[in-house]
Amino acid sequence: MRTTVTDAGESLGPVTGWVLLVSRDADFRAFGLPERGDVAIGRDAACEVVIDHEKISRRHAVLRIGDRWALEDLGSRNGTQIRGAAVTAGSPVELAPGEPFQIGPFTAVVLARAVSTVRAALGASHVTIEDPTLASPGPLVLSLAQSMVNILVVGETGVGKEVLSSSIHRLSGRSGALVCINCAALSPQLLESELFGHERGAFTGAAQTKPGLLEAAAGGTVLFDEIGEMPLELQAKLLRAIETREVLRVGAVRPVTLDVRVLAATNRDLLGCVAEGTFRRDLFYRLAGITLNIPPLRERVQQLEPLAARFARAATGRDAALSAAALTRLRSHSWPGNVRELKNVVERAALLAAGGAIQPEHILIDQPQESIAPARTIPAIPSALAAARDDSTAGLTPEQVADRQRIVAALEACNGNQTRAAQQLGISRATLVNKLSIYRVPRPRK
């Protein structure tokens, strides 16, 4: 984990009160604040908050704490900003606790929470997010959203990784759009052109200059979905773009400066991919400034009822009651498709209920194809798939073994049709093919 915590002095002070959280990329620093008084921020060792960085002035700014809070720039070289506007030297601007501001290249926010909790949260390798919608974000998550730290979102297919990424972008306050890039949906050749753009005449068919998706996200956020599927040859170029905040279009000689927030999402064990040599270690640590983990739905069954109520309301435009028996049926299912599967089931149930309470008979859960089709119409399972059930799983984690079993079962149900199996699993065909290679499952052939 690249997240670090630097204390101001020997101790952050008492376990209650205010904490100033300062962040840049994967570096977090927490400083205890007094109840009242002026807090100087700068590179000088005499400042109450010392940030030893070349772009921080010796005495950069001062935070005034009292009945009203204010932020004042002290004539710094690289400026102080709040609400997107520069703070004029010598003219204090009123500040509310929890409101982020910029000190040079650093993002800062005052948190009203126990210091020990802040320290423990920052020291963790993962932060678990139970509700991807972030309807009521805590101060730590809010400060992460409003900083520029790179965030890696991990979780099984269907848990809500894109929903969480959208929530983070919404909370960030950035003026640009959220641009989602599915790294598994494009070929390596198309992915490079789509990411970085190209100049006119760069290759056959390039009739005009086209900015890439990274440029399109200027002022906003870019989400690299299924980042584990990105080809190795492109990972090095992406790493350089993230580190330099510049992008070089295909066929260009001068780079374009980027102003984007970087998020990435995956359902794969990226550290396992690093060990296998399919994912760059340096890119992993650059992306995983902090990791937000969304547990599968089967591990957060307490959310079944509120999620079901939300989906039913969205489907019908009104509140739909969920009977106790229907809720019991929902809780008895393991939800391999996670929230995405629950949404489909509940929307269908709400429509079948026709305005009444949702009953168990309205809860129709899809079964594997072999259980609903006549046995005589199912061709024999390809011998390679049948043998794959007994192959060694040495070196795989328990989660990978379970994922492998789901994939083999889906392929069997679809008689080896990889496109249909991928649709049933809720992943792209490219992702399925990649997983077959990793899990040593032979690809079915016609």
Side-chain angles (χ1 to χ4, degrees):
M1 180 61 187
R2 287 173 50 81
T3 300
T4 60
V5 182
T6 303
D7 296 349
E10 296 182 358
S11 170
L12 286 173
V15 295
T16 60
W18 301 105
V19 178
L20 179 67
L21 186 66
V22 181
S23 66
R24 182 172 187 261
D25 292 332
D27 181 28
F28 282 80
R29 310 180 186 185
F31 301 86
L33 297 177
E35 293 292 331
R36 305 179 69 88
D38 291 352
V39 176
I41 306 171
R43 201 171 70 245
D44 195 312
C47 292
E48 286 77 16
V49 173
V50 179
I51 306 175
D52 189 9
H53 190 276
E54 60 181 3
K55 292 190 176 181
I56 297 296
S57 300
R58 292 181 63 82
R59 288 181 58 82
H60 195 108
V62 62
L63 186 62
R64 305 195 185 281
I65 304 172
D67 295 332
R68 291 189 175 183
W69 293 56
L71 179 67
E72 180 181 345
D73 185 83
L74 298 178
S76 64
R77 185 175 70 255
N78 290 297
T80 304
Q81 291 188 339
I82 185 170
R83 306 180 199 102
V87 177
T88 304
S91 299
V93 175
E94 191 166 333
L95 170 75
E99 187 174 20
F101 56 94
Q102 299 293 130
I103 299 291
F106 288 82
T107 298
V109 63
V110 176
L111 302 180
R113 60 180 290 152
V115 173
S116 58
T117 305
V118 173
R119 177 185 282 154
L122 291 179
S125 59
H126 289 69
V127 174
T128 299
I129 302 296
E130 293 287 341
D131 182 3
T133 63
L134 292 185
S136 300
L140 176 62
V141 174
L142 182 61
S143 66
L144 290 174
Q146 295 174 337
S147 74
M148 285 295 287
V149 63
N150 298 333
I151 295 177
L152 177 65
V153 183
V154 300
E156 294 180 3
T157 298
V159 295
K161 297 187 292 294
E162 189 169 340
V163 173
L164 174 59
S165 301
S166 178
S167 300
I168 291 172
H169 171 69
R170 173 176 52 82
L171 293 171
S172 72
R174 293 182 63 80
S175 58
L178 171 66
V179 176
C180 299
I181 302 172
N182 190 327
C183 300
L186 300 172
S187 67
Q189 296 77 17
L190 286 176
L191 186 56
E192 180 174 12
S193 176
E194 289 295 318
L195 275 182
F196 306 119
H198 61 258
E199 293 292 324
R200 178 180 178 182
F203 50 84
T204 303
Q208 58 185 6
T209 296
K210 177 186 175 183
L213 292 173
L214 287 174
E215 290 184 63
T221 305
V222 60
L223 167 64
F224 293 99
D225 197 13
E226 298 194 57
I227 186 67
E229 314 302 330
M230 177 172 283
L232 266 173
E233 58 267 28
L234 282 184
Q235 292 178 22
K237 295 182 179 180
L238 176 60
L239 174 65
R240 178 168 178 78
I242 294 175
E243 288 183 333
T244 63
R245 299 288 173 176
E246 292 180 340
V247 64
L248 186 65
R249 296 175 182 166
V250 177
V253 294
R254 292 183 179 177
V256 177
T257 301
L258 292 177
D259 173 23
V260 295
R261 170 73 180 281
V262 176
L263 307 177
T266 183
N267 61 359
R268 299 183 61 181
D269 175 13
L270 284 191
L271 277 177
C273 296
V274 170
E276 295 167 357
T278 59
F279 200 83
R280 293 180 62 104
R281 184 180 299 273
D282 47 5
L283 179 58
F284 169 79
Y285 285 116
R286 175 56 65 181
L287 292 172
I290 193 163
T291 300
L292 301 182
N293 176 61
I294 308 176
L297 187 57
R298 62 183 174 273
E299 295 180 8
R300 45 189 174 106
V301 291
Q302 72 279 2
Q303 287 200 323
L304 275 174
E305 187 171 4
L307 283 173
R310 183 188 306 170
F311 295 147
R313 189 182 308 112
T316 62
R318 58 181 179 271
D319 291 336
L322 193 69
S323 71
L327 184 58
T328 299
R329 176 158 169 73
L330 290 178
R331 287 174 174 163
S332 67
H333 186 54
S334 62
W335 300 108
N338 289 294
V339 178
R340 185 179 295 140
E341 181 187 5
L342 175 67
K343 183 174 185 290
N344 291 337
V345 169
V346 171
E347 287 179 346
R348 182 166 52 202
L351 294 175
L352 290 174
I358 296 176
Q359 302 296 336
E361 58 267 25
H362 301 139
I363 307 293
L364 305 180
I365 298 176
D366 294 331
Q367 300 295 329
Q369 291 186 9
E370 67 266 28
S371 66
I372 59 176
R376 58 186 174 82
T377 65
I378 301 177
I381 297 170
S383 59
L385 283 178
R389 282 193 173 277
D390 301 322
D391 280 357
S392 171
T393 55
L396 299 182
T397 66
E399 292 80 7
Q400 290 174 324
V401 172
D403 193 28
R404 183 184 189 275
Q405 292 172 346
R406 284 194 295 268
I407 288 173
V408 171
L411 286 168
E412 290 177 352
C414 298
N415 193 35
N417 187 305
Q418 296 167 59
T419 300
R420 285 169 49 204
Q423 291 173 348
Q424 181 172 309
L425 291 165
I427 60 178
S428 68
R429 189 178 187 278
T431 300
L432 174 63
V433 171
N434 192 285
K435 286 176 178 285
L436 294 179
S437 175
I438 294 172
Y439 297 158
R440 300 183 291 280
V441 176
R443 288 184 64 183
R445 303 294 179 185
K446 294 183 180 179

